[in-house]
Amino acid sequence: EYIAKKGYQALIDALAGVEPGEIIEIIKASGLRGRGGGGFPTGIKWATCAKHSGDRYIICNADEGDPGAYMDRSILEGDPHSVLEGMLIAGYAIGSSQGFIYVRNEYPLAVKRLVTAIKQAEACGLLGDNIAGTDFSFNIKISTGAGAFVCGESTALMASLEGQVGRPRAKYVHTVEKGFRDSPSNLNNVETYANVPAILLKGHAWYAGMGTEHSKGTKVFSLVGKVANTGLVEVPMGISLKEIAFSMGGGVPKKKKFKAVQTGGPSGGCIPEQYLDLPVDYQKLAEVGSIMGSGGMIVMDQDTCMVDVARYFMDFLKEESCGQCNPCREGITQVLEILTEICAGNGKEGDIELLEELGSMIQKFSLCGLGTSAPNPVLTTLLYFRNE
């Protein structure tokens, strides 16, 4: 069925006469950015990995841990071959013969579908040794994670993949130079790889024709919370929050008032009603103190207590912090204690100022992305809902 929809055509075309360097240039020209949350330009990452010598690895991050988000899960369950093809093309472009998919253990159906897809591709000669009769060989293995949110971070994921405790390390040396097994490693998430075959088939101009100046293409969002239509939506970058929540989401049910939308999961921020016309792209969301993240969107109505929301996310992050660095381990614990006291009606003068100070400290001094983005829900809530 995938082949009937021109599946693997992009790979065969590439192997038939496109140089690896050309593929990287096409990906660069398309403007594809990492869909896992960081938004790093994919073509630049591929090019950097390709120029380092050693056994290069292609790794797919399917460790989707945000509460209320299931974009990657739906792609893996419904269209696994697009991810395999994207990884194969990346392997050919970078000069790698080994790929790994690091998938959440809580996604058993996704794992089952991936195993089936890998067997099918191998049976058709599209995966394994001498693919389609060429000199290119590529194998893919599946590794299931232990449910740690921090393993979505690149260095922690690679440590876990090696069988070690999934803990981030300081990135003085990037993973494209020394990552998995101290070798050059290219890590992208599920949605990023799934975009690659279509870009090669339809051309970089087609892809770059969608979206905004700095954020090209489309993005899948998981729309949940207080909206009439919950589910997954795929939209061009640059669409407004209002259009997603009201046109596609059908607005807030029971004639209640819209209050805020949380984007980017626990590391994102709460965006109030006044910014509903904000175009959704990497830059614009960052300007109002949130992030796109992997694509979770939680809509809140007038009955939602914003302090409770902030406390919920800090409680989640306290459990998921690896505990290596002081700012994240101690800082999140203190922020959570203050928020818990406020929710219990025991807030004190100076608590709000202390939350701001702690938040700023955690952002500046934490070791990895979990810590540096952890205070976002609290700081945006303080910024936009201080009176509450």
Side-chain angles (χ1 to χ4, degrees), residues 82-106:
S82 64
V83 182
L84 299 186
E85 188 179 5
M87 289 177 73
L88 279 156
I89 292 166
Y92 175 66
I94 290 166
S96 165
S97 61
Q98 184 65 59
F100 289 92
I101 301 175
Y102 185 89
V103 64
R104 279 190 83 180
N105 197 39
E106 294 91 337

Side-chain angles (χ1 to χ4, degrees), residues 5 162 230 240 260 323 328:
K5 296 277 183 187
E162 289 169 358
T230 56
S240 70
C328 178

Side-chain angles (χ1 to χ4, degrees), residues 154-205:
S154 59
T155 56
L157 186 150
M158 288 176 200
S160 178
L161 203 53
E162 289 169 358
Q164 300 173 38
V165 176
R167 282 183 166 174
R169 62 168 167 81
K171 286 198 191 119
Y172 307 120
V173 180
H174 291 293
T175 51
V176 284
E177 187 182 340
K178 279 191 175 178
F180 180 61
R181 294 174 181 161
D182 270 345
S183 300
S185 306
N186 180 80
L187 178 75
N188 290 120
N189 95 319
V190 170
E191 197 181 334
T192 314
Y193 285 124
N195 275 299
V196 171
I199 292 170
L200 260 66
L201 269 183
K202 300 187 180 184
H204 60 81

